[in-house]
Every structure is written in C-alpha cells, then in structure tokens.
Amino acid sequence: MPTLLVIDDEPNVLYSMAKSLQSRTLEVATALTAKQGIERVQGQRPDAVLLDVRLPDMEGMEAFEQIRKIDPRLPVILITAYATTETAIEAMKRGAFEYLIKPVDFHLLQEVVAKAIELSRSRHVPAVFEETVDAADSVVDRIVGRCAAMQEVYKAIGRVASLDVPVLIVGESGTGKELVARALYQHSHRSEGPFLALNCAAIPETLLESELFGHERGAFTGAERRRIGKFEQADHGTIFLDEIGDMTLATQPKILRLLQEQKFERVGGNETIKTDVRVIAATNKNLGDLLPAGRLRQDLYYRLKVYTIHLPPLRERLEDLPLLVDHFLRLLNRDLGKSVTAVSPEAMRALEKHEWPGNVRELQSALKYALVQTAGDVLTPDALPEMIQKVPAHTPQPVAEQTSLDVGQLVSRLLRDGEPDIYRKVGLAVDRAVMEAVLRYAKGNQVQASELLGISRTTLRAKLRILGMAIEKQLLPDSDQDD
C-alpha cells in the first residue's frame, strides 16, 4: 500500500490530514519537525511527501533539498499559508511536484496527492520485459509478449533508450504506450531525474500551454499566482506527452522551439527559460494523416519522429494471449483476493476469437470482470463479458484459385490515387497473397500451413480474420484444428 508522509508542526493539521486522507488504498504517516520527517523519508521511503515550508527547526528549502538528496524522484508537495512565498516557487523550479495554499480545498488535495502517488509509481516501479524478472516479483510492471513484433519493440527500446533523442511511440489505445515510455526513461541516463506524463487530449485547450510551460500571475483570468509548468519541473529528466496528435496548433510552435532549442517562456511572461528535457511522445493516430488537413505542423512532425516505435495491436499478436491472460490472472487474483488458477479451453477460444478493439487494456478489464463473476478456480466462458461471448460474424471469402500480386504496380497505383497509409495497405495485400498461396498448397490444412509459414495456428487464424478470409477446405477434424 502506498504511503504519504505529512510534515507539519501543527498537530491539528497532522490529525486532520491523516483522518481525511487515510484509506484502504493509502497509508498516511506524520512528522512534527523537518528533522523527524527527513529521518522518516530515509527509513520508511514513502511514496510522496506533503511538506509545510515553515517549520521551527529548518527552512523549508533546506528540508526540501535534503529530501531530494535522499530520493530525487520522490514527489514533494509543498504547502504554505503564504500565497506569495518565493520559497515554494523556487522549490517548484527545482523539481517539487506542486505547492498548495492554506487553507487547502480537500478535493483539490485529494486530487494532487493521487497524482503524486501515481507519478511516484511510474518513477520507481520498473517497467520490465516479462522474461527478465521472476514471476513472483510483484514490484514491477511487466511488458508481456514473446511474438516477433514484440521482440522488435524490445530491440527498439534497447537501441534508443540511452540516446538523448525524441522518441515517438505509435499504437492503438490500450497497447501499452506509457509502459514503453517508462522503460525508455528507466533505461536512460536520466533515470534519476524527473519523469512527468501529460495526456494532451485530457486537458482543455485553454489550459494545455499553462500545464506545459507554466504562467505568470495575471496572465489570464484566474491566474492568481505564478505556476511552474511541466517542462520546468522536468529539468534534467523526461516528459511523456501522450496523445500528441490532439495538441492544438497554437501550442505546437512552442513545442517545436523546445525540441530545437530547449527554451520557452511562461504564458504571460517575457523571461526565456532554459531547460534540459527529453521528450517522448505517443499517439493512437496516424500523424501523417494530420499534415494535409493542417492539424499538425510538418516541421514538428519530423522533430517528433526522429525515432519511432510501433506497438502492435493485440489482434495481431494473439500468440501472446495465453501469456497475457496468465499475467493478469496473477495480478488480479492478488488484488481481488481470488484463486482462479486456470482458464477453460472454451473460455480461451472465446478470448482468441474476440477482435480486442481496446487491446491489452480491454483484456485486463474483461478478465477483472470475469474473476468477479467466477466462484471457483476455473474461469469459464459464461463469466466473460457478453460482448466477448458473442463472436461477431465474418463474411466468408473462399481462398482464391490463383494468386497474383505486383507490389510495384500496387504502390504506384496507391501513390497515383493519393491514398494514405500505404505501408499498411501493401502489407495486407502481401499477407493475403502469401496466405492464399500457402493455404492452397496445404489444401486448407491449418497445421501444415502454420508450419510452412513459421507462425502459430493462433496467429494464422488472427490474420485470416483480419483479411476476411475463410478456409475453403479442411482436411483435419475440427478437434485437431484447435490449440
């Protein structure tokens, strides 16, 4: 269970904080002096700290710096009764997570503490590859997958993690883009510095610039004090910009300048601020499609995609499904107090046949639902969400008698017609030609076809579904066709 340490010299404040914030998911520890608080940071290693900047035995900035020396990645929330204090602002410049003004709105405090705890986890809990850790190790976030596509992802992380260049992570929603961003951060030379994540689609357009770059007092209505933005807080660290394709045109020139010069100004300010931040961006969109519509600057596009990592959707790596199911069962059994040790063959077939538009995140959610529904130790199909039990019908298309594909002509035609997404469309055409030829040679025998192709039968079936193909003739009984 995560722990919040509250350091304040007023006993009634400590009592109030502990009473209001303590819950089944958060433990609250307290300290009356800076010295006591620093000792608890050293000994207990809390997940976040709430620090009053006016303490009797030590200046707030000195206490903050000593905490930072113990753990530079520990989120520290400053709290002060002095709205104009320069101490809090200076601490923010040096990496404090946030500062709040007394009296603190309880709902705001809850929100800030929750974000700090989440940030602490992303900085401290390693994002690792499945085969590099013991299965019983529960203090890591695993990137699970052994298929060829995921092996390429691991290689890409290894190639670029230590290089100080921007990285663009591309993949559908729910494929694990933030996990990959954390792995890049934790394997880089900036791993002792800050890691801040921001979802560009979740913040209103009017507030996004302020979140990223900060603002001066009076910069706009409601700007009652100076705010230090994410790029200033993340100095010497890494910032992860999720859903970068949703960033407004007004903000894009500032991001471009930051990538080029590592400089920016706060909203409403004239002071040029120098920072040293690595940018990792992610998107579920095809950024190239945004260029003709004028929704993305071309110069920013090329700056962002210095190095691109593509995450495959779950439906294209179904051979990893048993690994993922086993992984989530272990986690969910622990979290829910369950003891589901197996998945019935019928339930696994239902999982394999689902299209997974929400990818790995949808799989985790579906398994959580199923475990809640399961009374015994075996997960059966009736426990799965109804939409997974009902497999959507596909229009069968018989395997063609002849296969003919001229890749050069296809690319030329797509270019001539101004078609987007050419790489994917050519890849699908090649897949179809290969599948048709091999299945025709194997006379519809999926076992022989998968061996000839060098892929599992699960992957073969997934590719056939994507291509809308059906097997014209099966030589093996149905029972032999299933894994």
Side-chain angles (χ1 to χ4, degrees):
M1 180 187 298
T3 301
L4 170 71
L5 174 62
V6 183
I7 308 173
D8 198 298
D9 62 336
E10 297 182 43
N12 62 325
V13 171
L14 292 181
Y15 175 81
S16 175
M17 293 285 187
K19 190 76 173 174
S20 59
L21 294 173
Q22 181 98 18
S23 68
R24 289 183 302 152
T25 57
L26 179 66
E27 182 178 341
V28 178
T30 60
L32 278 165
T33 66
K35 182 181 178 183
Q36 187 182 41
I38 291 166
E39 288 174 352
R40 292 201 170 179
V41 170
Q42 181 74 62
Q44 296 180 3
R45 295 298 172 123
D47 298 277
V49 173
L50 188 62
L51 173 66
D52 188 359
V53 299
R54 293 294 179 95
L55 295 167
D57 61 330
M58 192 179 296
E59 288 293 327
M61 184 57 70
E62 184 182 350
F64 172 72
E65 289 295 345
Q66 288 199 30
I67 290 171
R68 293 273 293 171
K69 285 179 182 176
I70 296 170
D71 185 351
R73 296 182 292 179
L74 178 63
V76 178
I77 304 162
L78 299 166
I79 185 168
T80 176
Y82 305 92
T84 58
T85 178
E86 288 300 314
T87 302
I89 293 172
E90 185 59 31
M92 290 292 291
K93 289 182 180 179
R94 299 190 190 185
F97 178 72
E98 184 59 276
Y99 74 93
L100 303 172
I101 309 300
K102 292 181 180 179
V104 182
D105 177 78
F106 173 66
H107 296 293
L108 174 62
L109 178 62
Q110 275 190 316
E111 181 183 337
V112 171
V113 167
K115 288 180 178 178
I117 295 293
E118 182 182 352
L119 175 65
S120 181
R121 175 176 173 78
S122 69
R123 289 178 175 178
H124 289 92
V125 176
V128 299
F129 312 138
E130 173 74 9
E131 53 273 6
T132 64
V133 293
D134 191 294
D137 191 349
S138 61
V139 291
V140 297
D141 284 338
R142 293 172 174 81
I143 305 174
V144 179
R146 296 176 187 166
C147 70
M150 289 305 295
Q151 293 298 328
E152 289 304 313
V153 171
Y154 303 152
K155 292 175 189 175
I157 293 171
R159 290 188 194 105
V160 78
S162 61
L163 305 179
D164 230 358
V165 297
V167 178
L168 178 65
I169 306 169
V170 178
E172 296 178 8
S173 293
T175 48
K177 296 188 287 294
E178 184 166 350
L179 267 182
V180 171
R182 282 170 50 195
L184 288 167
Y185 157 71
Q186 288 158 352
H187 287 84
S188 74
H189 66 86
R190 296 174 180 265
S191 60
E192 291 301 314
F195 175 81
L196 296 178
L198 190 75
N199 188 320
C200 298
I203 298 174
E205 179 180 348
T206 53
L207 297 179
L208 183 58
E209 276 195 56
S210 174
E211 282 289 326
L212 291 171
F213 304 106
H215 63 250
E216 298 291 350
R217 183 181 181 185
F220 49 83
T221 303
E224 298 176 354
R225 57 186 172 93
R226 176 187 288 175
R227 178 181 180 83
I228 306 301
K230 293 289 190 288
F231 281 116
E232 206 165 343
Q233 291 180 53
D235 192 27
H236 299 294
T238 302
I239 190 162
F240 173 53
L241 299 178
D242 199 4
E243 306 305 351
I244 192 75
D246 291 286
M247 180 173 288
T248 64
L249 281 171
T251 306
Q252 290 178 26
K254 285 193 171 186
I255 295 292
L256 177 63
R257 184 189 178 200
L258 186 131
L259 288 168
Q260 290 175 329
E261 305 173 15
Q262 295 280 294
K263 294 177 181 177
F264 65 93
E265 286 87 31
R266 299 189 193 101
V267 177
N270 297 316
E271 177 190 1
T272 297
I273 298 162
K274 180 77 175 173
T275 191
D276 176 16
V277 176
R278 183 190 195 181
V279 175
I280 300 173
T283 182
N284 61 10
K285 293 180 166 63
N286 184 335
L287 294 185
D289 290 346
L290 304 181
L291 296 175
R295 292 165 54 197
L296 181 69
R297 291 175 60 109
Q298 192 171 51
D299 44 9
L300 177 59
Y301 172 66
Y302 289 114
R303 279 285 177 178
L304 287 171
K305 67 186 297 291
V306 171
Y307 192 90
T308 303
I309 297 176
H310 294 271
L311 284 182
L314 180 54
R315 63 183 174 276
E316 292 182 9
R317 59 179 189 109
L318 285 179
E319 61 249 64
D320 286 337
L321 190 63
L323 286 174
L324 287 160
V325 170
D326 181 63
H327 168 67
F328 286 130
L329 283 184
R330 288 200 305 267
L331 293 182
L332 293 168
N333 275 327
R334 183 191 67 205
D335 294 345
L336 300 175
K338 291 280 191 172
S339 56
V340 177
T341 57
V343 177
S344 72
E346 296 80 12
M348 185 60 76
R349 276 196 289 272
L351 293 171
E352 289 175 349
K353 291 175 181 177
H354 186 59
E355 292 293 331
W356 299 112
N359 293 293
V360 178
R361 187 186 296 127
E362 183 190 359
L363 173 63
Q364 182 178 15
S365 178
L367 290 173
K368 187 172 187 177
Y369 175 90
L371 258 67
V372 171
Q373 298 287 98
T374 300
D377 58 359
V378 177
L379 192 155
T380 54
D382 57 298
L384 293 168
E386 188 175 349
M387 64 183 298
I388 295 177
Q389 295 181 44
K390 295 180 177 179
V391 181
H394 293 278
T395 304
Q397 293 184 11
V399 175
E401 288 301 317
Q402 298 295 327
T403 300
S404 177
L405 175 66
D406 187 319
V407 173
Q409 283 187 3
L410 175 60
V411 173
S412 297
R413 180 178 63 77
L414 292 171
L415 287 170
R416 185 176 63 250
D417 295 344
E419 292 280 346
D421 207 11
I422 290 177
Y423 184 84
R424 184 184 67 84
K425 290 175 180 175
V426 172
L428 288 173
V430 171
D431 275 358
R432 175 178 288 279
V434 172
M435 292 292 169
E436 288 176 348
V438 172
L439 285 166
R440 188 168 58 252
Y441 178 85
K443 298 182 174 61
N445 184 325
Q446 292 186 47
V447 175
Q448 185 183 3
S450 63
E451 289 175 353
L452 289 168
L453 290 163
I455 60 178
S456 70
R457 276 176 286 167
T458 302
T459 302
L460 174 63
R461 295 191 197 104
K463 287 185 176 294
L464 292 174
R465 283 199 300 273
I466 292 167
L467 295 168
M469 294 172 58
I471 305 302
E472 189 175 70
K473 181 180 180 183
Q474 293 186 0
L475 298 185
L476 295 178
D478 289 344
S479 59
D480 292 334
Q481 292 287 332
D482 294 322
D483 288 334

